[in-house]
mmCIF file of all heavy atoms in Angstrom:
data_model
loop_
_atom_site.group_PDB
_atom_site.id
_atom_site.type_symbol
_atom_site.label_atom_id
_atom_site.label_comp_id
_atom_site.label_asym_id
_atom_site.label_seq_id
_atom_site.Cartn_x
_atom_site.Cartn_y
_atom_site.Cartn_z
ATOM 1 N N LYS A 8 0.833 -1.205 0.000
ATOM 2 C CA LYS A 8 0.000 0.000 0.000
ATOM 3 C C LYS A 8 0.866 1.253 0.000
ATOM 4 O O LYS A 8 0.572 2.224 -0.711
ATOM 5 C CB LYS A 8 -0.939 0.022 1.199
ATOM 6 C CG LYS A 8 -1.903 1.215 1.180
ATOM 7 C CD LYS A 8 -2.861 1.209 2.348
ATOM 8 C CE LYS A 8 -3.880 2.356 2.211
ATOM 9 N NZ LYS A 8 -3.242 3.678 2.050
ATOM 10 N N GLU A 9 1.948 1.233 0.771
ATOM 11 C CA GLU A 9 2.845 2.384 0.788
ATOM 12 C C GLU A 9 3.475 2.595 -0.583
ATOM 13 O O GLU A 9 3.600 3.729 -1.057
ATOM 14 C CB GLU A 9 3.935 2.176 1.838
ATOM 15 C CG GLU A 9 4.857 3.379 2.006
ATOM 16 C CD GLU A 9 5.811 3.212 3.175
ATOM 17 O OE1 GLU A 9 5.378 2.719 4.234
ATOM 18 O OE2 GLU A 9 6.993 3.588 3.018
ATOM 19 N N ALA A 10 3.872 1.499 -1.233
ATOM 20 C CA ALA A 10 4.444 1.598 -2.579
ATOM 21 C C ALA A 10 3.427 2.171 -3.561
ATOM 22 O O ALA A 10 3.770 2.971 -4.444
ATOM 23 C CB ALA A 10 4.924 0.227 -3.045
ATOM 24 N N GLN A 11 2.168 1.784 -3.410
ATOM 25 C CA GLN A 11 1.110 2.318 -4.279
ATOM 26 C C GLN A 11 0.887 3.803 -4.007
ATOM 27 O O GLN A 11 0.734 4.601 -4.937
ATOM 28 C CB GLN A 11 -0.180 1.530 -4.080
ATOM 29 C CG GLN A 11 -0.126 0.122 -4.644
ATOM 30 C CD GLN A 11 -1.327 -0.719 -4.268
ATOM 31 O OE1 GLN A 11 -1.816 -0.650 -3.137
ATOM 32 N NE2 GLN A 11 -1.822 -1.518 -5.209
ATOM 33 N N ASP A 12 0.879 4.192 -2.731
ATOM 34 C CA ASP A 12 0.663 5.590 -2.367
ATOM 35 C C ASP A 12 1.770 6.489 -2.923
ATOM 36 O O ASP A 12 1.522 7.652 -3.280
ATOM 37 C CB ASP A 12 0.601 5.750 -0.841
ATOM 38 C CG ASP A 12 -0.652 5.135 -0.234
ATOM 39 O OD1 ASP A 12 -1.612 4.869 -0.999
ATOM 40 O OD2 ASP A 12 -0.668 4.895 0.984
ATOM 41 N N LEU A 13 2.989 5.942 -3.007
ATOM 42 C CA LEU A 13 4.132 6.716 -3.501
ATOM 43 C C LEU A 13 4.276 6.654 -5.027
ATOM 44 O O LEU A 13 5.144 7.302 -5.592
ATOM 45 C CB LEU A 13 5.428 6.212 -2.851
ATOM 46 C CG LEU A 13 5.558 6.490 -1.346
ATOM 47 C CD1 LEU A 13 6.757 5.753 -0.774
ATOM 48 C CD2 LEU A 13 5.690 7.991 -1.099
ATOM 49 N N GLY A 14 3.426 5.864 -5.665
ATOM 50 C CA GLY A 14 3.484 5.767 -7.120
ATOM 51 C C GLY A 14 4.459 4.733 -7.642
ATOM 52 O O GLY A 14 4.650 4.603 -8.850
ATOM 53 N N TYR A 15 5.083 3.938 -6.756
ATOM 54 C CA TYR A 15 5.991 2.885 -7.205
ATOM 55 C C TYR A 15 5.213 1.694 -7.759
ATOM 56 O O TYR A 15 5.694 0.995 -8.654
ATOM 57 C CB TYR A 15 6.883 2.404 -6.049
ATOM 58 C CG TYR A 15 7.901 3.416 -5.585
ATOM 59 C CD1 TYR A 15 8.100 3.654 -4.229
ATOM 60 C CD2 TYR A 15 8.670 4.137 -6.488
ATOM 61 C CE1 TYR A 15 9.032 4.571 -3.780
ATOM 62 C CE2 TYR A 15 9.609 5.065 -6.062
ATOM 63 C CZ TYR A 15 9.786 5.282 -4.707
ATOM 64 O OH TYR A 15 10.710 6.195 -4.278
ATOM 65 N N ALA A 16 4.043 1.437 -7.186
ATOM 66 C CA ALA A 16 3.223 0.304 -7.608
ATOM 67 C C ALA A 16 1.915 0.805 -8.196
ATOM 68 O O ALA A 16 1.360 1.805 -7.743
ATOM 69 C CB ALA A 16 2.954 -0.630 -6.431
ATOM 70 N N GLU A 17 1.420 0.093 -9.195
ATOM 71 C CA GLU A 17 0.153 0.430 -9.827
ATOM 72 C C GLU A 17 -1.016 -0.007 -8.928
ATOM 73 O O GLU A 17 -0.849 -0.784 -7.978
ATOM 74 C CB GLU A 17 0.034 -0.287 -11.173
ATOM 75 C CG GLU A 17 1.127 0.056 -12.170
ATOM 76 C CD GLU A 17 1.031 1.482 -12.696
ATOM 77 O OE1 GLU A 17 -0.072 2.072 -12.611
ATOM 78 O OE2 GLU A 17 2.055 1.995 -13.184
ATOM 79 N N ALA A 18 -2.216 0.492 -9.247
ATOM 80 C CA ALA A 18 -3.414 0.057 -8.523
ATOM 81 C C ALA A 18 -3.568 -1.458 -8.634
ATOM 82 O O ALA A 18 -3.936 -2.139 -7.681
ATOM 83 C CB ALA A 18 -4.636 0.769 -9.078
ATOM 84 N N ASP A 19 -3.299 -2.001 -9.829
ATOM 85 C CA ASP A 19 -3.185 -3.444 -10.013
ATOM 86 C C ASP A 19 -1.697 -3.766 -10.081
ATOM 87 O O ASP A 19 -1.055 -3.577 -11.114
ATOM 88 C CB ASP A 19 -3.870 -3.891 -11.304
ATOM 89 C CG ASP A 19 -3.698 -5.388 -11.567
ATOM 90 O OD1 ASP A 19 -3.071 -6.075 -10.728
ATOM 91 O OD2 ASP A 19 -4.180 -5.865 -12.607
ATOM 92 N N PRO A 20 -1.105 -4.253 -8.980
ATOM 93 C CA PRO A 20 0.350 -4.409 -8.922
ATOM 94 C C PRO A 20 0.857 -5.739 -9.449
ATOM 95 O O PRO A 20 2.041 -6.054 -9.311
ATOM 96 C CB PRO A 20 0.615 -4.310 -7.417
ATOM 97 C CG PRO A 20 -0.585 -4.959 -6.805
ATOM 98 C CD PRO A 20 -1.756 -4.595 -7.706
ATOM 99 N N SER A 21 -0.010 -6.542 -10.058
ATOM 100 C CA SER A 21 0.353 -7.918 -10.388
ATOM 101 C C SER A 21 1.562 -8.025 -11.310
ATOM 102 O O SER A 21 2.364 -8.958 -11.163
ATOM 103 C CB SER A 21 -0.846 -8.652 -11.000
ATOM 104 O OG SER A 21 -1.325 -7.982 -12.140
ATOM 105 N N ALA A 22 1.716 -7.113 -12.257
ATOM 106 C CA ALA A 22 2.863 -7.191 -13.171
ATOM 107 C C ALA A 22 4.175 -7.181 -12.404
ATOM 108 O O ALA A 22 5.137 -7.870 -12.775
ATOM 109 C CB ALA A 22 2.826 -6.039 -14.169
ATOM 110 N N ASP A 23 4.213 -6.406 -11.330
ATOM 111 C CA ASP A 23 5.429 -6.318 -10.518
ATOM 112 C C ASP A 23 5.499 -7.430 -9.479
ATOM 113 O O ASP A 23 6.443 -8.219 -9.454
ATOM 114 C CB ASP A 23 5.497 -4.961 -9.806
ATOM 115 C CG ASP A 23 5.669 -3.798 -10.773
ATOM 116 O OD1 ASP A 23 6.450 -3.934 -11.728
ATOM 117 O OD2 ASP A 23 5.019 -2.767 -10.568
ATOM 118 N N VAL A 24 4.490 -7.511 -8.606
ATOM 119 C CA VAL A 24 4.592 -8.401 -7.445
ATOM 120 C C VAL A 24 4.481 -9.877 -7.814
ATOM 121 O O VAL A 24 4.954 -10.741 -7.068
ATOM 122 C CB VAL A 24 3.561 -8.040 -6.357
ATOM 123 C CG1 VAL A 24 3.768 -6.613 -5.879
ATOM 124 C CG2 VAL A 24 2.132 -8.246 -6.844
ATOM 125 N N ASP A 25 3.879 -10.187 -8.955
ATOM 126 C CA ASP A 25 3.791 -11.584 -9.391
ATOM 127 C C ASP A 25 4.954 -11.982 -10.302
ATOM 128 O O ASP A 25 4.976 -13.104 -10.825
ATOM 129 C CB ASP A 25 2.466 -11.847 -10.107
ATOM 130 C CG ASP A 25 1.287 -11.796 -9.152
ATOM 131 O OD1 ASP A 25 1.497 -11.970 -7.937
ATOM 132 O OD2 ASP A 25 0.150 -11.550 -9.612
ATOM 133 N N GLY A 26 5.887 -11.053 -10.539
ATOM 134 C CA GLY A 26 7.110 -11.391 -11.252
ATOM 135 C C GLY A 26 7.059 -11.306 -12.763
ATOM 136 O O GLY A 26 8.042 -11.646 -13.438
ATOM 137 N N TYR A 27 5.935 -10.830 -13.341
ATOM 138 C CA TYR A 27 5.854 -10.760 -14.801
ATOM 139 C C TYR A 27 6.876 -9.776 -15.379
ATOM 140 O O TYR A 27 7.581 -10.088 -16.347
ATOM 141 C CB TYR A 27 4.447 -10.350 -15.247
ATOM 142 C CG TYR A 27 3.393 -11.399 -15.005
ATOM 143 C CD1 TYR A 27 2.531 -11.321 -13.914
ATOM 144 C CD2 TYR A 27 3.272 -12.485 -15.870
ATOM 145 C CE1 TYR A 27 1.567 -12.301 -13.683
ATOM 146 C CE2 TYR A 27 2.306 -13.461 -15.650
ATOM 147 C CZ TYR A 27 1.468 -13.363 -14.554
ATOM 148 O OH TYR A 27 0.519 -14.334 -14.327
ATOM 149 N N ASP A 28 6.955 -8.583 -14.791
ATOM 150 C CA ASP A 28 7.890 -7.567 -15.276
ATOM 151 C C ASP A 28 9.325 -8.102 -15.276
ATOM 152 O O ASP A 28 10.051 -7.975 -16.264
ATOM 153 C CB ASP A 28 7.782 -6.321 -14.389
ATOM 154 C CG ASP A 28 8.779 -5.240 -14.752
ATOM 155 O OD1 ASP A 28 8.501 -4.469 -15.700
ATOM 156 O OD2 ASP A 28 9.833 -5.148 -14.095
ATOM 157 N N ALA A 29 9.720 -8.722 -14.176
ATOM 158 C CA ALA A 29 11.080 -9.258 -14.085
ATOM 159 C C ALA A 29 11.299 -10.404 -15.067
ATOM 160 O O ALA A 29 12.400 -10.574 -15.605
ATOM 161 C CB ALA A 29 11.367 -9.713 -12.656
ATOM 162 N N SER A 30 10.264 -11.206 -15.327
ATOM 163 C CA SER A 30 10.425 -12.321 -16.266
ATOM 164 C C SER A 30 10.632 -11.828 -17.691
ATOM 165 O O SER A 30 11.405 -12.427 -18.453
ATOM 166 C CB SER A 30 9.232 -13.277 -16.189
ATOM 167 O OG SER A 30 8.040 -12.675 -16.643
ATOM 168 N N TYR A 31 9.965 -10.728 -18.086
ATOM 169 C CA TYR A 31 10.226 -10.141 -19.408
ATOM 170 C C TYR A 31 11.701 -9.759 -19.515
ATOM 171 O O TYR A 31 12.366 -10.034 -20.521
ATOM 172 C CB TYR A 31 9.372 -8.887 -19.634
ATOM 173 C CG TYR A 31 7.874 -9.080 -19.573
ATOM 174 C CD1 TYR A 31 7.053 -8.060 -19.094
ATOM 175 C CD2 TYR A 31 7.279 -10.256 -19.994
ATOM 176 C CE1 TYR A 31 5.672 -8.214 -19.031
ATOM 177 C CE2 TYR A 31 5.898 -10.420 -19.934
ATOM 178 C CZ TYR A 31 5.103 -9.393 -19.443
ATOM 179 O OH TYR A 31 3.742 -9.560 -19.369
ATOM 180 N N LYS A 32 12.190 -9.112 -18.478
ATOM 181 C CA LYS A 32 13.558 -8.595 -18.510
ATOM 182 C C LYS A 32 14.597 -9.709 -18.518
ATOM 183 O O LYS A 32 15.573 -9.652 -19.284
ATOM 184 C CB LYS A 32 13.782 -7.658 -17.314
ATOM 185 C CG LYS A 32 12.941 -6.395 -17.362
ATOM 186 C CD LYS A 32 13.005 -5.612 -16.065
ATOM 187 C CE LYS A 32 12.112 -4.391 -16.095
ATOM 188 N NZ LYS A 32 12.065 -3.676 -14.804
#
């Protein structure tokens, strides 16, 4: 929630927290 409030995480954070973003990279 803090990451979302600061704009680091999206409202739907799944791309980041579920590892999709890192798997692309």
Side-chain angles (χ1 to χ4, degrees):
K8 184 178 185 305
E9 185 173 319
Q11 289 172 320
D12 290 344
L13 292 171
Y15 291 135
E17 300 291 339
D19 177 1
S21 57
D23 294 319
V24 300
D25 291 338
Y27 291 101
D28 176 82
S30 67
Y31 300 147
K32 295 170 183 175

